């Protein structure tokens, strides 16, 4: 298995959002965090030979990282066509071993029926913007419908909500770790050039 540091280096070519849309909460996962999540999933045996779905894939960093780790199929779903065209360009730059299918649509109404054991990776909208409240819950509900296992990124402090919510949906959190998410200044209302927010990453067993 390739190392995590090699993966971080490879993901350096993955471009973020050209013109991020605030109402869609478009923030690209930094390469270090994406590599950590995907490397952990690989160590757990959740990628090799699996169907991988990246819900709200944006410019594709999670799907692309997974596509370097021997899955049978990878599909990224996002509602924003511009983000998907950057994702396609990122795929060309990175040169993954498994091709990624990019699908435009509402990730919470995919109608996707993945074949075989399925791992969902998602850094969903956190539901922090007006009009998009509870977006994270809808992403988790969809994940519960299609995944055997999932890895998702959430605001720090969500753990007790996540435990109760996943239990209600028939899942169990098996792993959780804290991470830092460095946000470059993306929107006019951001006051600093950069800001680090605390997040948590959870692995859920839905089987
Ligand atoms: N997963 C990417 C992007 C995270 S930002 C990464 O890790 O870099 C959240 C993404 O969710 C954005 O790309 C946004 O366009 C997408 N999104 C928001 N609501 C959505 C919905 N209902 N269906 C599909 N994608 C959605």
């Amino acid at each position: 298995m390739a190392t995590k540091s090699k993966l971080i280096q490879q993901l350096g070519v993955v471009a973020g959002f050209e013109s991020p849309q605030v109402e869609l909460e478009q923030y690209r996962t930094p390469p270090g965090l994406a590599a950590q999540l995907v490397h952990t999933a690989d160590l757990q045996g959740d990628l090799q030979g699996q169907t991988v779905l990246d819900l709200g894939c944006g410019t594709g960093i999670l799907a692309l990282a997974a596509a370097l780790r021997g899955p049978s199929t990878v599909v990224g779903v996002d509602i924003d066509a511009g983000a998907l065209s950057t994702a396609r360009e990122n795929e060309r730059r990175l040169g993954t071993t498994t091709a990624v299918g990019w699908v435009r649509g509402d990730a919470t109404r995919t109608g996707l029926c993945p074949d075989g054991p399925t791992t969902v990776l998602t850094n969903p909208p956190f539901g922090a913007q007006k009009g998009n409240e509870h977006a994270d819950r809808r992403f988790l509900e969809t994940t519960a419908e299609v995944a055997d296992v999932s890895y998702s990124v959430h605001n720090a402090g969500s753990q007790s909500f996540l435990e109760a919510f996943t239990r209600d949906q028939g899942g169990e959190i098996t792993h959780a770790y804290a991470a830092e998410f460095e946000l470059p200044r993306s929107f006019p209302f951001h006051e600093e050039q950069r800001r680090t927010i605390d997040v948590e990453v959870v692995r859920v067993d839905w089987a």
Side-chain angles (χ1 to χ4, degrees):
M1 187 185 295
T3 61
K4 188 175 82 182
S5 43
K6 166 90 179 150
L7 187 55
I8 297 177
Q9 186 207 329
Q10 287 173 300
L11 295 178
V13 302
V14 174
F17 296 94
E18 225 168 85
S19 34
Q21 295 180 51
V22 66
E23 63 282 6
L24 292 175
E25 301 185 71
Q26 294 185 322
Y27 301 99
R28 184 199 64 152
T29 303
L33 178 51
Q36 163 103 42
L37 186 156
V38 166
H39 192 69
T40 305
D42 201 4
L43 289 172
Q44 292 296 319
D46 293 330
L47 296 178
Q48 290 254 345
Q50 314 282 305
T51 295
V52 176
L53 291 180
D54 179 351
L55 300 181
C57 64
T59 64
I61 197 160
L62 297 177
L64 291 167
L68 295 167
R69 296 297 178 95
S72 63
T73 310
V74 186
V75 175
V77 183
D78 204 281
I79 206 156
D80 178 23
L84 290 173
S85 91
T86 306
R88 269 189 216 97
E89 180 55 34
N90 283 334
E91 184 181 6
R92 270 191 293 275
R93 275 195 220 157
L94 194 59
T96 56
T97 34
T98 306
V100 181
W102 303 106
V103 176
R104 184 180 178 200
D106 185 337
T108 64
R109 297 161 191 240
T110 57
L112 290 174
C113 302
D115 198 18
T118 300
T119 298
V120 166
L121 309 179
T122 183
N123 176 9
F126 289 171
Q129 287 301 322
K130 209 166 171 329
N132 212 20
E133 291 93 347
H134 305 312
D136 50 342
R137 296 183 193 197
R138 292 196 299 276
F139 271 66
L140 275 180
E141 281 162 0
T142 302
T143 299
E145 283 166 21
V146 297
D148 295 282
V149 167
S150 66
Y151 292 80
S152 50
V153 182
H154 304 273
N155 259 328
S158 317
Q159 187 139 7
S160 52
F161 153 71
L162 286 170
E163 269 166 25
F165 194 78
T166 51
R167 205 177 312 117
D168 279 356
Q169 304 287 322
E172 191 197 339
I173 297 178
T174 60
H175 299 65
Y177 63 86
E180 288 188 339
F181 194 129
E182 193 172 283
L183 290 176
R185 184 173 192 276
S186 315
F187 300 115
F189 62 82
H190 286 170
E191 285 166 9
E192 300 132 311
Q193 275 313 326
R194 261 170 208 284
R195 180 153 177 226
T196 303
I197 59 166
D198 294 321
V199 295
E200 49 198 62
V201 179
V202 294
R203 175 185 186 272
V204 180
D205 186 343
W206 300 101

